[in-house]
Amino acid sequence: VVSTQSTGEQITEYKGGYSPDDPVIRTFWEVVQELELGLKKKFLCFLTGSDRIPIHGIHSIKIIIQKVKDNSRLPVAHTCFNLLDLPPYANKEMLKEKLLLAIKNTEGFGLV
């Protein structure tokens, strides 16, 4: 059996009412997959505090995406827990706009 899930999807747990089949989650992963490599690295930095894959590989990371009610807010990452607060945006364009705004304005930990 060949999985159609991306690696990110395979290592993600969902909370607050989200599930892998939720339309917002499906759209979220679609947006992430469409990002150019540089923005994918910025997303990783936004979520984990580092733009590098851990030495033990991507499967050593556990990502948690939880629903928050206020869809006027940007997505918020809690880097110590690899936790993403993701509002239920109404459409792909809004989700992409808010996610890009959040990840383009992150600093990370600046570790070398």
Side-chain angles (χ1 to χ4, degrees):
V1 176
V2 176
S3 174
T4 58
Q5 291 184 318
S6 69
T7 302
E9 291 172 271
Q10 294 172 18
I11 61 171
T12 302
E13 178 182 324
Y14 303 94
K15 294 187 174 183
Y18 279 145
S19 72
D21 297 322
D22 188 289
V24 173
I25 295 301
R26 300 285 0 119
T27 301
F28 169 79
W29 286 116
E30 189 178 311
V31 166
V32 170
Q33 288 301 316
E34 292 172 357
L35 295 176
E36 62 183 44
L37 181 59
L39 286 174
K40 285 181 180 177
K41 289 177 88 172
K42 284 195 78 67
F43 172 70
L44 185 62
C45 185
F46 170 69
L47 183 59
T48 68
S50 173
D51 67 351
R52 300 176 190 262
I53 303 281
I55 195 163
H56 297 292
I58 192 73
H59 284 67
S60 65
I61 298 176
K62 182 175 104 177
I63 297 170
I64 301 168
I65 299 177
Q66 71 180 5
K67 184 186 279 189
V68 292
K69 302 290 184 207
D70 186 358
N71 64 0
S72 67
R73 296 181 54 206
L74 294 176
V76 173
H78 305 272
T79 56
C80 291
F81 305 105
N82 300 334
L83 171 67
L84 179 66
D85 291 340
L86 184 67
Y89 298 118
N91 56 55
K92 182 177 179 179
E93 293 74 26
M94 181 179 283
L95 191 153
K96 184 174 184 176
E97 176 186 325
K98 300 273 188 172
L99 184 62
L100 287 176
L101 187 57
I103 66 175
K104 286 180 177 179
N105 290 289
T106 191
E107 289 295 323
F109 292 118
L111 301 176
V112 180

